[in-house]
Amino acid sequence: GDLFLADGSGFNPAAAEEFLEKYWQKKPLLIRKALPFESPVSPDELAGLAMEEDVKARLIVEWGALADKGLESAKGKKAWELKTGPFTEKDLTTLPDSCYTLLVQEVNQYLPEVSDLMGLFKFIPNWRVDDVMISYAAQGGGVGPHVDNYDVFLLQGKGTRRWAISNTPLAASDEVSVDGVDVRVLKDGFKKDEEWLLEPGDMLYLPPRFPHWGVA
């Protein structure tokens, strides 16, 4: 059955039990139309948060892809660049037109409507629940092929993003990152076992160490 109630007010206990048994920390799961959801945060509001002093924010620009597109200012730069906030208005208004991502962590601490999302995941052990991170990506933006050391629920809020995943976890001893860049990007990528285009309300669950790559 559906993991969440149709009106988005909570989770379905029977389906949650099945999820914990079959998928939790075992294998990825795509849930189409998981929630009647559109991001309560606009790109401008997210940018505003990223300029606040105590907010954890990051900007990732894929200069390598921009150089391939012929952007002069990208030539000679590292393939990936990571900047950490707080950001100035100039930082955010002088970005290239594509191939960048703005990520803001712990948004649930600042906006009650985002905090409400946490309540939908009460079937997960409390100590495994961290925060709600929201990202905004321009066309072609992403953080590269990578693995996380924790479980992630990727909920699409606005627009679309193409996700590719591997169905096999990557051992830490086998993880080789691109040299000389600030972002943990898998040097040789990974074998894409599945690929989907996520639309608002779609959700992708990934256990720890499963390689994935999302591109707006």
Side-chain angles (χ1 to χ4, degrees), residues 39 46 101-104 107 133-137 143 156-158 161 163:
S39 173
L46 195 67
T101 304
L102 173 66
L103 306 106
V104 180
V107 181
M133 181 177 79
I134 296 182
S135 71
Y136 168 77
V143 301
Q156 188 68 24
K158 288 182 193 291
R161 195 175 295 213
W163 285 98

Side-chain angles (χ1 to χ4, degrees), residues 118-130:
M118 304 278 279
L120 298 175
F121 294 88
K122 290 230 164 92
F123 57 93
I124 302 296
N126 247 353
W127 60 277
R128 299 290 312 184
V129 178
D130 195 1

Side-chain angles (χ1 to χ4, degrees), residues 21-41:
E21 195 179 302
K22 284 188 181 172
Y23 297 97
W24 176 246
Q25 302 208 315
K26 294 183 184 82
K27 58 184 180 180
L29 175 67
L30 172 71
I31 309 174
R32 290 283 186 202
K33 295 190 170 29
L35 289 165
F37 180 79
E38 185 162 310
S39 173
V41 184

Side-chain angles (χ1 to χ4, degrees), residues 52-84:
E52 300 274 340
E53 192 61 45
D54 55 347
V55 172
K56 293 178 186 167
R58 291 172 293 156
L59 254 177
I60 294 175
V61 183
E62 190 183 356
W63 292 112
L66 290 162
D68 290 345
K69 288 180 176 185
L71 184 71
E72 281 301 320
S73 60
K75 289 175 182 167
K77 292 195 174 180
K78 289 179 179 179
W80 298 86
E81 181 184 16
L82 168 70
K83 293 180 180 175
T84 53

Side-chain angles (χ1 to χ4, degrees), residues 100-184:
Y100 73 84
T101 304
L102 173 66
L103 306 106
V104 180
Q105 283 178 256
E106 299 174 350
V107 181
N108 48 295
Q109 291 186 16
Y110 308 105
L111 300 171
E113 57 272 41
V114 175
S115 180
D116 291 346
L117 263 180
M118 304 278 279
L120 298 175
F121 294 88
K122 290 230 164 92
F123 57 93
I124 302 296
N126 247 353
W127 60 277
R128 299 290 312 184
V129 178
D130 195 1
D131 71 326
V132 178
M133 181 177 79
I134 296 182
S135 71
Y136 168 77
Q139 188 168 1
V143 301
H146 68 286
V147 292
D148 294 312
N149 291 321
Y150 42 81
D151 304 86
V152 285
F153 289 90
L154 300 160
L155 177 61
Q156 188 68 24
K158 288 182 193 291
T160 58
R161 195 175 295 213
R162 183 168 296 283
W163 285 98
I165 70 161
S166 164
N167 282 326
T168 309
L170 182 69
S173 55
D174 295 331
E175 183 181 346
V176 181
S177 297
V178 176
D179 286 335
V181 298
D182 312 316
V183 187
R184 263 176 64 202

